[in-house]
Amino acid sequence: MDAEISCQDSMIEWFRLDREPDSDVLAIVFSHVSEQPGRFSFYGSFRDVAVNKLFVNTPDNGWYRDGVPGLGTDIDSTAEGLRIVMQQVGPRTVTCIGNSMGAYAALLFGELINADRVLAIGPETLLDQPGSRSRGFLAGRPPPSRYADLLPVLSRPAADRRTSIVIGESDLFDLEYARRVAHLPGMRLRSLRGVGHEVPAMLHRFGAWRPLIRDFVRDGSLPAFLPLEGRILEAGDAADALVEGRRLRLAGDRRAARDRLGHCLSLYPDADAAHDEIGVMEREEGAFAKAEAAHRLALRLAPDRGLYSLHLAQALEAQGRFGEALAAYDQAGALEPGNRFLARTREEARRRLEDAALAAWGTPGLFQSGRS
């Protein structure tokens, strides 16, 4: 296998084609956010996948708004550049794969180049929504307005395209984005319990990531059962109720939010995010012990969620249990070591609570162990 075609922009490689002469399959792998220039998401994961592979990256985390240097300067010209590469390779089957920002690109370009299969993990199907990842990265820049909403794009007739979306049920943005395209022909949705946006990392932990992409590229299949396979998308309108419950809570309508979240849990008791949302409302209403119980239940269902540990810490702090609160703040940071928000919150809590605990118990150095 050799890299026959690549592009350099001021000595930076933005795409790379690795040829496999004996294969009639082309896998196009779109990079996710914060992939360094000159590097490509999942390059190592695909090393042993014996097909033609085109890896692409895009500058400045722009959700492919500015295209891929060497292929195109915007979405439409990049699609044309991809078609030129396809003509050079001459594949019988084209597969698009991506995670997060790359999943958005896999869905979009999969339609624009008429790919046969698409695997999108945690995609945004509507960009620039309040609180979304795309809004954070596109702040101050216009999103690709023509393609900001993928629903009209994905609704176009596609003869035999098979599209698979895999999400973590704990990420309510991903859950909502998947719901809005679930009804489209050829769309298959899968979800993981107690998992947020970090689906590939979780699958890798169980040794399931490389077999999954290998089999999908080979024949478009996904495993009959994924690790931590969830069922919220099959439990009546549980997913709708969860997303709506969160929206109502944020709008300040707690009574209606409780009704919707309760309805979700009646259909799908494993909805950890619903328990966490209820805990947030309990804390906002001053029922700190009830909030603690709800957050502990959410953590029992999703022990890797740093956000739930943070919410538990806040409920414990509100009860004056400073030592336990700090331990929960530390746990939140440890669960997601790259999360700057959790790290900053942890340090602020440590500074705030050390003095309070010392005044309450008079124990110098109470929190020195575990300080980093």
Side-chain angles (χ1 to χ4, degrees):
M1 193 183 308
D2 61 331
E4 291 189 357
I5 301 175
S6 63
C7 169
Q8 292 189 347
D9 177 19
S10 301
M11 302 306 293
I12 296 174
E13 191 176 45
W14 291 102
F15 71 90
R16 171 177 292 184
L17 175 64
D18 288 352
R19 296 294 297 269
E20 184 67 38
D22 296 329
S23 173
D24 60 0
V25 175
L26 172 64
I28 306 176
V29 185
F30 295 89
S31 292
H32 51 61
V33 296
S34 300
E35 193 65 77
Q36 293 297 313
R39 299 179 65 87
F40 306 98
S41 299
F42 307 128
Y43 191 83
S45 298
F46 278 83
R47 182 177 294 113
D48 298 326
V49 181
V51 299
N52 300 286
K53 299 179 284 283
L54 176 62
F55 298 92
V56 298
N57 197 356
T58 190
D60 302 323
N61 296 322
W63 249 256
Y64 289 83
R65 176 181 67 95
D66 298 320
V68 175
L71 290 178
T73 58
D74 57 18
I75 288 172
D76 289 314
S77 60
T78 296
E80 180 59 27
L82 292 174
R83 285 190 285 268
I84 291 172
V85 175
M86 290 164 57
Q87 290 172 354
Q88 295 171 342
V89 176
R92 178 179 58 85
T93 303
V94 176
T95 299
C96 293
I97 297 175
N99 173 55
S100 192
M101 179 182 74
Y104 164 83
L107 290 172
L108 172 58
F109 288 107
E111 197 286 329
L112 295 180
I113 66 174
N114 196 27
D116 301 284
R117 306 170 189 143
V118 175
L119 176 59
I121 302 171
E124 290 190 23
T125 58
L126 180 62
L127 297 187
D128 203 31
Q129 297 304 291
S132 68
R133 294 175 180 85
S134 61
R135 171 162 290 192
F137 284 103
L138 294 172
R141 297 182 288 175
S145 56
R146 183 180 174 191
Y147 298 114
D149 187 352
L150 288 185
L151 184 56
V153 177
L154 299 179
S155 298
R156 299 172 185 171
D160 298 317
R161 184 176 309 127
R162 301 177 66 187
T163 300
S164 294
I165 292 178
V166 183
I167 62 165
E169 294 180 355
S170 302
D171 191 302
L172 298 193
F173 282 106
D174 287 353
L175 184 61
E176 181 172 9
Y177 296 137
R179 281 173 55 249
R180 62 192 304 272
V181 298
H183 64 285
L184 297 177
M187 190 71 64
R188 300 177 297 175
L189 269 60
R190 304 284 289 274
S191 63
L192 306 185
R193 286 180 294 105
V195 179
H197 195 60
E198 67 285 357
V199 168
M202 186 61 68
L203 291 173
H204 182 74
R205 182 187 300 182
F206 284 91
W209 171 241
R210 290 196 181 193
L212 182 148
I213 59 175
R214 181 195 62 220
D215 292 347
F216 189 86
V217 169
R218 183 189 65 221
D219 58 16
S221 66
L222 291 177
F225 189 79
L226 294 169
L228 302 177
E229 182 93 36
R231 300 295 182 194
I232 193 169
L233 294 166
E234 303 167 16
D237 64 343
D240 294 347
L242 175 53
V243 170
E244 181 68 6
R246 181 179 186 273
R247 187 192 68 77
L248 289 165
R249 178 185 69 79
L250 293 174
D253 191 345
R254 294 190 188 123
R255 175 177 293 181
R258 285 181 186 278
D259 286 344
R260 297 304 288 153
L261 294 169
H263 177 66
C264 169
L265 290 171
S266 72
L267 296 171
Y268 190 69
D270 287 342
D272 52 277
H275 292 291
D276 186 67
E277 289 289 324
I278 290 171
V280 171
M281 287 190 292
E282 297 287 11
R283 180 166 51 85
E284 291 172 345
E285 294 174 355
F288 304 127
K290 289 182 177 181
E292 176 191 349
H295 294 315
R296 288 193 185 280
L297 181 51
L299 273 169
R300 191 152 57 244
L301 293 167
D304 293 321
R305 296 288 287 163
L307 182 64
Y308 297 170
S309 284
L310 170 62
H311 290 162
L312 173 61
Q314 292 168 336
L316 291 168
E317 179 180 350
Q319 296 176 71
R321 293 155 60 185
F322 303 135
E324 294 175 78
L326 278 171
Y329 280 118
D330 287 345
Q331 179 68 10
L335 287 171
E336 300 182 28
N339 189 316
R340 288 180 290 180
F341 167 73
L342 292 179
R344 183 174 67 251
T345 302
R346 170 186 180 269
E347 292 308 312
E348 291 172 353
R350 183 171 288 279
R351 288 193 296 269
R352 181 173 67 250
L353 296 185
E354 279 186 336
D355 291 341
L358 181 59
W361 296 313
T363 308
L366 183 64
F367 302 117
Q368 292 304 308
S369 63
R371 182 191 289 274
S372 60

